[in-house]
Amino acid sequence: MKHYKIALIKGDGIGPEIIDEAVKVLDAASSKEDFEIAYNDFLMGGIAIDVKGEPLPQQTIDGCLNSDAVLFGAIGGEKWDKLPREKRPESGLLKLRKSLGVFANLRPTTVFDELINASTLKHEVVKGVDLLVVRELIGGIYFGQPRANDGNRAYNTMVYEKEEIARIARAAFEAAQKRYKKVCSVDKSNVLEVSQLWRDTVEETAKDYKDISLSHMYIDNAAMQLIRNPKQFDVILTSNLFGDILSDEASMISGSIGLLPSASIGGKVGLFEPIHGSAPDIAKQGIANPIATILSAAMMLRYSLNEINAANRIELAVKDVLKDGYRTKDIAQFDAKEICTTSEIGSIIADRVSKL
Ligand code: IPM
Ligand code: MN
């Protein structure tokens, strides 16, 4: 039997409750598909600041590097917002991404037919949307030097090496090969030098992927097109900051940020997390939606453990449970037959995973 070691980072706010449900569902999937998972907890974010005095203790980095994959809930909260930037929970996450070397952030947006009313956009615009944002995650303006703020003048640097662009482009082309074979690269090459290098490098890399149809869009137009006609997109390839913005926008096409997972891969160990935040205002009330984390666990099985059957099983179970009308409070107004707590819907999904 195969054994895997998974690092769990529960984090802050609703993090612990949603990770607990993902573990329930993973356990159901592993016993059906005959593999075993051992979990180890590590601290990051606000809780790590409170307990260890820093957002990302070395122990957590080592523990993650020593695992087959990392499943992460969420971090942050008002309590730590006043700290200097490098001491905040968010800087822990950025440093973890960098330490793991996960340069490719995959953020799918799919529209569940059962929840189509959750979108603020018209049915005909969103029905059938199935797109993937491939965001460069450990470079660009998030990490570029120099950077400073002396109170009178502040600056950051958007910098990319050619090879950093080529490798994220390859990740996007390879993802598209398993999907609808279309890549739209998003940049601001009408203004920025760094974007010109981005566009030239993506063009050059595309020569090795003759089966893919490649187009380019400026970021401002892409932000508009994503709302006007999201179905035109398959894979959207873009840099760190543009991808941060576009993936939040894309998530709202489906209407429910509580449903969307993400995978950060390409490095030593993959990192899997829901795209939503720590929502401290609803923590510990049993109303958080664990589905994005459960689907992130499915991505972990698919991309890091290569347990494809188990991943499919979880994704199918989630669809089924939504089809049957089980809803957490955040999506209760959309054709709910039964309103569930965080732990109830986790158990219902785990049960479905066992029975599929
Ligand atoms: C995300 C978040 C992070 C980012 C923050 C919390 C640092 O917004 O994962 O999209 O900007 O990458
Ligand atoms: Mn973001």
Side-chain angles (χ1 to χ4, degrees):
M1 204 193 304
K2 285 202 176 128
H3 296 266
Y4 302 105
K5 254 168 79 177
I6 300 301
L8 295 180
I9 300 181
K10 295 184 177 179
D12 308 317
I14 60 171
E17 19 190 322
I18 56 182
I19 289 284
D20 286 348
E21 299 316 307
V23 167
K24 230 187 237 176
V25 173
L26 277 171
D27 284 343
S30 64
S31 65
K32 275 313 263 198
E33 299 292 342
D34 245 25
F35 58 90
E36 252 174 21
I37 301 181
Y39 305 95
N40 293 300
D41 279 290
F42 295 99
L43 297 177
M44 183 168 83
I47 185 164
I49 297 170
D50 291 349
V51 176
K52 300 262 182 189
E54 49 178 335
L56 181 65
Q58 187 60 38
Q59 232 173 350
T60 298
I61 302 179
D62 295 341
C64 291
L65 284 171
N66 201 9
S67 302
D68 294 303
V70 183
L71 187 62
F72 161 51
I75 49 161
E78 225 176 291
K79 182 176 172 195
W80 306 283
D81 278 353
K82 300 262 170 334
L83 294 168
R85 188 163 309 283
E86 66 287 356
K87 297 247 158 67
R88 280 188 214 167
E90 289 77 7
S91 78
L93 175 58
L94 295 177
K95 192 170 160 203
L96 181 66
R97 289 171 176 168
K98 193 83 172 172
S99 307
L100 300 178
V102 287
F103 64 83
N105 183 218
L106 313 184
R107 295 187 166 185
T109 291
T110 43
V111 173
F112 292 91
D113 281 350
E114 297 72 29
L115 295 177
I116 199 151
N117 290 322
S119 181
T120 51
L121 301 180
K122 290 186 182 134
H123 286 196
E124 60 268 30
V125 175
V126 298
K127 194 167 166 44
V129 166
D130 179 6
L131 63 85
L132 176 71
V133 176
V134 176
R135 167 189 177 195
E136 198 291 323
L137 199 61
I138 57 173
I141 198 165
Y142 272 53
F143 292 93
Q145 295 291 344
R147 57 190 295 165
N149 176 4
D150 70 9
N152 284 310
R153 189 161 175 270
Y155 50 87
N156 291 87
T157 305
M158 194 186 279
V159 54
Y160 272 113
E161 305 285 334
K162 190 168 173 164
E163 181 45 37
E164 287 178 296
I165 302 167
R167 71 180 180 181
I168 190 68
R170 289 193 292 269
F173 291 133
E174 277 155 31
Q177 281 176 326
K178 297 188 194 129
R179 296 172 46 95
Y180 311 101
K181 302 197 164 46
K182 266 173 38 180
V183 171
C184 178
S185 173
V186 172
D187 63 39
K188 189 72 187 175
S189 58
N190 50 344
V191 176
L192 304 175
E193 281 78 5
V194 61
S195 279
Q196 191 61 55
L197 181 66
W198 180 279
R199 191 172 284 219
D200 296 344
T201 308
V202 170
E203 277 291 331
E204 202 180 310
T205 311
K207 291 186 186 131
D208 296 332
Y209 300 86
K210 297 262 189 284
D211 53 333
I212 301 296
S213 103
L214 171 66
S215 60
H216 300 274
M217 235 180 235
Y218 298 136
I219 176 68
D220 49 349
N221 185 29
M224 182 270 278
Q225 293 293 341
L226 205 46
I227 298 302
R228 191 186 71 84
N229 176 20
K231 270 182 260 187
Q232 70 186 288
F233 295 107
D234 172 16
V235 172
I236 296 177
L237 159 63
T238 193
S239 57
N240 203 345
L241 179 62
F242 296 164
D244 180 45
I245 298 164
L246 282 188
S247 62
D248 264 36
E249 189 188 349
S251 77
M252 264 299 116
I253 294 167
S254 82
S256 34
I257 199 161
L259 294 180
L260 297 179
S262 79
S264 302
I265 56 174
K268 297 174 196 129
V269 176
L271 171 66
F272 301 83
E273 58 181 293
I275 77 161
H276 60 72
S278 62
D281 51 319
I282 62 157
K284 297 204 179 86
Q285 298 173 34
I287 57 175
N289 187 344
I291 290 181
T293 314
I294 290 169
L295 291 173
S296 302
M299 290 188 94
M300 177 179 88
L301 293 169
R302 185 180 305 283
Y303 289 102
S304 279
L305 310 187
N306 203 27
E307 293 286 352
I308 311 298
N309 290 340
N312 289 337
R313 203 178 260 282
I314 292 177
E315 284 161 2
L316 265 176
V318 167
K319 272 202 192 99
D320 253 30
V321 164
L322 289 174
K323 206 176 288 162
D324 289 350
Y326 295 103
R327 305 275 186 271
T328 40
K329 200 177 154 213
D330 55 315
I331 48 173
Q333 66 271 45
F334 309 113
D335 309 313
K337 295 211 181 67
E338 198 174 322
I339 315 284
C340 306
T341 64
T342 308
S343 135
E344 279 164 357
I345 204 158
S347 300
I348 292 167
I349 294 169
D351 190 53
R352 204 59 67 95
V353 163
S354 309
K355 292 199 177 121
L356 273 175

